Amino acid sequence: LEKYLEDGELSDADFERGLLAKMAADKAMGSEYVTFQLSLPEHYLNTGGEYRDDPQYIRQSGQRIARLQALCFELGLNCYIETHVQRISEDPEAFVKIMDKCAIPFETNGDLSHYIYRNFRNDTAWMKKILGRMGHTHQRMCRNYGDLSVNVPDPHGDWSARGVTWTAFQWSRPGLEGGLSSRVICGESGPMHQVSDP
């Protein structure tokens, strides 16, 4: 189960009650986890990570994550914060600062294509911490400095040529080393993703 939350929603007085009701309904349908995409406020969108220098926002984000995780645990659901552009995790330095300000450790959902296509490295101190918390992952094939979603008609040939499938696996390895706490496998397809056969 994936939940996208706008920054303003998290300040709404009735937010927690409404979210609990939605998550309880999702659990009744068989969901075992929630992965949250937490949107940046509009004034920090497309700034290249300017929010990393806002200690109040960093602290507030840590507090919000702690509360979201507590709500998930109240229902017996796993909780993940997703790595994604235009979310609080888009800038690795800022995301690690948020981790450090959160009162309790939380797990990440490594939607790593959002880092790979920007040609980030997975061996920096920030990335090691993010990947070290990876309990769930979304795998989308992408190219460095290219498409965020790539169709791979011949995965075997692509792997042998050390193409996008090889890159995705090698990039994910540090996050997979400790195992995952969620083991749901699904594929995405459709015109937006340029993938006809997940």
Side-chain angles (χ1 to χ4, degrees):
L1 173 66
E2 186 170 312
K3 294 267 186 222
Y4 168 70
L5 301 177
E6 290 281 356
D7 183 71
E9 285 181 89
L10 296 165
S11 302
D12 191 311
D14 293 327
F15 166 74
E16 287 188 12
R17 188 173 37 146
L19 179 62
L20 262 177
K22 289 176 188 174
M23 292 193 307
D26 292 326
K27 182 178 180 177
M29 290 187 289
S31 293
E32 296 180 356
Y33 69 90
V34 182
T35 176
F36 289 102
Q37 288 189 23
L38 304 178
S39 178
L40 288 167
E42 190 171 336
H43 62 279
Y44 282 140
L45 287 174
N46 309 311
T47 63
E50 195 174 88
Y51 65 106
R52 76 176 71 97
D53 296 321
D54 182 342
Q56 181 179 346
Y57 181 72
I58 295 291
R59 185 173 53 256
Q60 179 188 60
S61 295
Q63 292 167 346
R64 287 172 167 176
I65 290 170
R67 190 62 195 133
L68 289 171
Q69 181 165 272
L71 293 173
C72 286
F73 286 3
E74 191 176 317
L75 294 172
L77 297 167
N78 286 358
C79 176
Y80 307 103
I81 306 302
E82 187 167 336
T83 61
H84 205 286
V85 295
Q86 298 191 321
R87 311 294 184 261
I88 65 168
S89 52
E90 79 167 6
D91 179 68
E93 179 184 1
F95 195 31
V96 167
K97 285 181 177 180
I98 291 168
M99 288 179 174
D100 291 342
K101 286 296 180 186
C102 191
I104 49 177
F106 63 87
E107 291 183 277
T108 63
N109 168 12
D111 191 349
L112 303 175
S113 59
H114 291 272
Y115 292 152
I116 296 170
Y117 94 104
R118 292 188 287 165
N119 205 29
F120 287 176
R121 290 172 28 200
N122 70 350
D123 62 351
T124 65
W126 300 323
M127 211 59 78
K128 284 179 180 177
K129 188 158 188 176
I130 293 167
L131 292 170
R133 297 267 192 104
M134 192 171 89
H136 185 80
T137 181
H138 290 171
Q139 291 293 320
R140 178 190 297 113
M141 301 303 102
C142 64
R143 291 188 184 91
N144 301 129
Y145 298 129
D147 296 325
L148 179 57
S149 179
V150 175
N151 194 27
V152 184
D154 178 12
H156 185 269
D158 182 80
W159 179 273
S160 298
R162 295 195 172 194
V164 294
T165 56
W166 176 268
T167 299
F169 181 72
Q170 295 304 318
W171 223 94
S172 303
R173 283 179 73 176
L176 297 171
E177 285 174 0
L180 300 175
S181 56
S182 173
R183 291 175 177 83
V184 174
I185 298 174
C186 64
E188 61 184 8
S189 64
M192 176 187 151
H193 302 291
Q194 302 178 23
V195 177
S196 57
D197 182 2

